[in-house]
Every structure is written in C-alpha cells, then in structure tokens.
Amino acid sequence: MTMEASAEPVLEQADGQVAAKPVRRRIRPRDVRWIRAAAELAGTFLICAVIYLSYSFGQLVMGQPSVVLPVLGTALTYLVVTAMLGGVSGGHFNPAVTVAAMFTSQISMVDGLIYIVAQVIGAIGAGALAVALVPVSKSVPDRTWLMFSVNGFSGGSPAAATLGQQHIAFGAPMAIVVELIGCMIVVAAAITTLRSDGRARRNHALYTGLAYGVGVLVTYPITCSGLNPARSTGIAIFAQSKHMAVSPISQLWLFWICPLLAASLVALVIIMTSIITDNMAMRAMGAATDAQRVAQVDADAQAQAQADAFAPSAQAQAGSDAQADAVAPAGAQASPAPVQTPVADTTDTTAPADTTAQTVDVSSLSDSDAEQDADAGKDAVAPANAGTIPDLQVEPLHTASETEDSDDQSEDKPTES
C-alpha cells in the first residue's frame, strides 16, 4: 500500500511539534466592502428607475391617477430587487434603513456612509434615465410626465389638481404625518428582518415588499410616496428645470427629515426593547440563581439536621462498643476456653524434668533432704502423669545418695568365688 502525500502544507513549530493546518476561508461577496456598495448602488438604481417610469407612464396611459398601480409596482419592485441583491449587501436601498441599521449596530458607521452615498448615486442615475426616456411634445411637456413621480405636497401633490377644484390642499403637516407613518412601517420591517451582523434573513425581501406596498397605499395621494430620501432626490434634481408647479428642491427637505426621524424612532424603540428584555433576562437569571442558592442552603440545613439527629445514636453506639471492648478482657480471664494438652506435649515436658533430676549434684545434701526432694519430685510428676496418661506407670526416681549407698553396700559385700 502506498501513501499519497497531502497537498495541504503542514506547519512545524520550533520545538518540532506539528502546528494546526491553515484554514482556508472562502471570501464571499458580502465580505468585500466595495462589492456591497456596488450592490446597493445597482439595487437603488433599478428600484428608482422602475418607480419613476411606472408612475409616469402608467398614470398617463390609464388616463387618471390611481393608487393601485403604484402600490403593486412599488411592492413587487422592492421584493424582486431585494431578493436578488439582499444576500450581498443586506438589501437596504434606502438611506433611512441604513441610518437605523447604524444606530442599532447592524452596520458600521463607515459602511453606512458608503451605503448612503451609493444609494443617492444610484437614484440620481435612475432619475437621469427616466428624464431621458420621457417622450416630450408641445401638448405633453415634461412636467406632465414628471408630476406623477416627483414627490411634493400642497401644490406639488399628485392630487393637487383634483383637490384644488374643491379648494382643498394637503399641507406640510399632513405630509409630515403620513410620511412618518409610512417610513416607520418600512424601516421597522427592514430592520427587524436583518441579522445582528447586517445580513438579510430569508423573509427580508417579502416583508420589505409588503411594507413598501402599505406605505405607498397611505402616502401616494398626498406626497406621491416618498418613503426613501434617495428616491426623492434622484427625480427632484432633474425635474427642477422642467417648470414644475412647485419647485421639487424647495420641498425636498421634508422627504429627508421624515424618513431619518422615522429611522431614529424605530432604532430607539428597538434599543429600548433590547435593554428591557436584557434586564428581564438578567432578573430572571438572578432569580433562578437565588432560588438555586436558597435550595442549596435548605439542602445543607437538612443535611446538617440529619447529621445532628444521627450524632446521639452514633455516640451511643460508640459507647456500647467501648463497653464491649472493656468487658471482653475480663470475660476472657474469667472463663478461659478449656485446652487439652496433647500426649506428645506432656511427654516432652516430663522428660526434661527427669533429666534435670538425674543430673543434679546432691552429694552435699543429707539423706533426709534428698528423700524429701525425691518425694516432692514424685508428687509433682505424678499428678501431671495421672491427669494426662492414666495407664502410664512411673518408676521410682533414684537419687544420687541412694546410688552411692547401693554402691557402698556392693563394695562391703564379700565377693563370692
């Protein structure tokens, strides 16, 4: 079997140990700043171009202003473009959404400013394209085409001509209220569907499209649906010189202030909600910790109580054991177990006694003393032999004095021939 060498490099440290292999990280488009900015520019350009052209051509073709086409066109345009490019840049395409993301730390300040510049540039390019594509004639001048796509209020409102016949006009207060409501809906839907790192969730495109549809439904009759500062700026720059009823640049401030204010309010609500939920979570965690601590204290107290209850019985047991230990030696001395001495042991103990008695020099002792000693020796040996071996007959012990007497007698006796 042959071993193929790995193509991946292996790093060795100075001490000879093999270091970890280098991790190859794939660079994604969203990891590059200028790619994300380009996605924001392209997305804003597409959205604004579709809105400008659909609002202008659609209203003139239908013959009378209608809110149905702007609502459907705006909702579908934001939905499709956000689904296309939202995975790259997050799918803002609106300076108000970017400002809210900056406040909620979903995007950095530098990236947010780059996004806003890219969005405005994309909207300006879309405005230039729309003005260039509008067919102009003496009967249908530029302002007739652009009046349905330029944002404005009062005399610049799409419904200004119709309301003017009834001597009614939508002033700045009404425009501010409806723009704030519509922008808050749009920004809230976009921000809540972004992750903490600015990436778009799966439902981001759908919720964004629906939010813009609702916002257009509320704001179109009054302001021609701004909802996006870049969208308002792109068309206002090129419509300024088209002899509009009201200067678009003079009313542009409202379409920047209202979206940015709505973004700030939404971001504030999100931040306060996050703080409150974090505090509630901390309190819940603290309560759980306190409950666990109380339970531990109760368990310790219960264990201590059990130990205290067990202590007297343990002491009593120890006392009884001590008494048993004290009584045991006395009982052993009082009633010793009977021990039977084997025959071999008795014989062994008796034999040395006989040898000792025979080797004792009693020449200096008197005959009476020797007899007394002999009688004492007999008395000492007899009971032991009688107690252990009853059938054993012990021969009389001959002392040295008796031996000497017998020798003397044998010497005094005449020798027989």
Side-chain angles (χ1 to χ4, degrees):
M1 181 182 296
T2 59
M3 300 293 291
E4 294 181 0
S6 177
E8 297 182 359
V10 178
L11 302 181
E12 294 186 0
Q13 298 178 352
D15 54 358
Q17 297 180 356
V18 179
K21 295 181 179 180
V23 179
R24 296 180 180 179
R25 182 174 179 271
R26 189 179 68 176
I27 298 177
R28 299 180 180 179
R30 66 164 284 101
D31 297 333
V32 182
R33 178 176 293 171
W34 67 266
I35 294 179
R36 289 186 279 118
E40 285 292 316
L41 190 151
T44 308
F45 173 82
L46 293 175
I47 291 171
C48 292
V50 173
I51 289 175
Y52 297 156
L53 295 175
S54 63
Y55 282 19
S56 298
F57 295 151
Q59 298 298 345
L60 288 178
V61 170
M62 292 179 66
Q64 59 182 358
S66 175
V67 74
V68 177
L69 182 61
V71 168
L72 293 178
T74 303
L76 291 177
T77 302
Y78 273 99
L79 191 153
V80 172
V81 175
T82 304
M84 289 168 46
L85 301 174
V88 179
S89 63
H92 297 188
F93 312 124
N94 189 337
V97 176
T98 303
V99 169
M102 293 166 62
F103 288 160
T104 55
S105 300
Q106 293 174 315
I107 189 174
S108 64
M109 292 294 179
V110 176
D111 289 342
L113 294 177
I114 294 174
Y115 273 29
I116 293 173
V117 173
Q119 292 160 3
V120 173
I121 293 174
I124 292 173
L129 178 64
V131 171
L133 295 178
V134 169
V136 179
S137 65
K138 292 182 179 180
S139 59
V140 184
D142 293 337
R143 63 179 183 180
T144 304
W145 292 97
L146 298 177
M147 65 179 297
F148 296 104
S149 58
V150 175
N151 297 126
F153 55 91
S154 187
S157 173
T162 303
L163 295 175
Q165 298 175 0
Q166 304 295 331
H167 304 285
I168 299 174
F170 293 124
M174 179 64 71
I176 292 173
V177 171
V178 296
E179 282 290 324
L180 277 175
I181 294 174
C183 290
M184 289 179 66
I185 294 173
V186 169
V187 173
I191 289 298
T192 54
T193 54
L194 291 177
R195 301 181 187 274
S196 59
D197 59 352
R199 293 184 295 114
R201 300 180 185 272
R202 294 182 178 180
N203 56 0
H204 177 68
L206 177 61
Y207 285 7
T208 299
L210 293 176
Y212 276 102
V214 174
V216 171
L217 182 64
V218 174
T219 60
Y220 183 80
I222 301 173
T223 61
C224 195
S225 301
L227 305 177
N228 188 339
R231 172 252 188 276
S232 302
T233 304
I235 194 64
I237 291 175
F238 295 97
Q240 180 66 26
S241 60
K242 302 303 180 181
H243 306 287
M244 303 294 296
V246 178
S247 173
I249 299 296
S250 64
Q251 296 183 345
L252 190 60
W253 61 269
L254 187 143
F255 300 99
W256 273 92
I257 292 177
C258 290
L260 296 181
L261 181 59
S264 302
L265 293 176
V266 171
L268 179 62
V269 171
I270 293 175
I271 293 172
M272 294 300 296
T273 303
S274 177
I275 293 174
I276 293 173
T277 53
D278 291 343
N279 289 335
M280 292 177 64
M282 292 297 294
R283 290 181 180 179
M285 187 180 298
T289 304
D290 294 340
Q292 185 177 3
R293 188 178 302 171
V294 170
Q296 184 65 29
V297 171
D298 294 341
D300 294 342
Q302 186 176 2
Q304 185 64 30
Q306 293 178 357
D308 295 341
F310 181 74
S313 61
Q315 293 178 357
Q317 184 66 24
S320 62
D321 293 341
Q323 292 178 0
D325 294 340
V327 171
Q333 293 177 0
S335 59
V339 178
Q340 296 181 359
T341 304
V343 176
D345 295 341
T346 306
T347 307
D348 294 339
T349 54
T350 306
D354 297 340
T355 306
T356 304
Q358 293 177 1
T359 56
V360 173
D361 186 8
V362 291
S363 57
S364 60
L365 297 178
S366 60
D367 295 338
S368 61
D369 293 335
E371 292 177 358
Q372 292 178 1
D373 292 338
D375 296 336
K378 293 179 181 180
D379 296 336
V381 174
N385 294 335
T388 57
I389 303 176
D391 298 335
L392 182 62
Q393 296 180 1
V394 181
E395 296 179 358
L397 181 63
H398 297 282
T399 60
S401 59
E402 294 178 353
T403 304
E404 292 178 353
D405 293 340
S406 62
D407 292 340
D408 294 337
Q409 292 176 3
S410 61
E411 291 177 355
D412 294 337
K413 185 177 180 179
T415 302
E416 295 180 357
S417 55

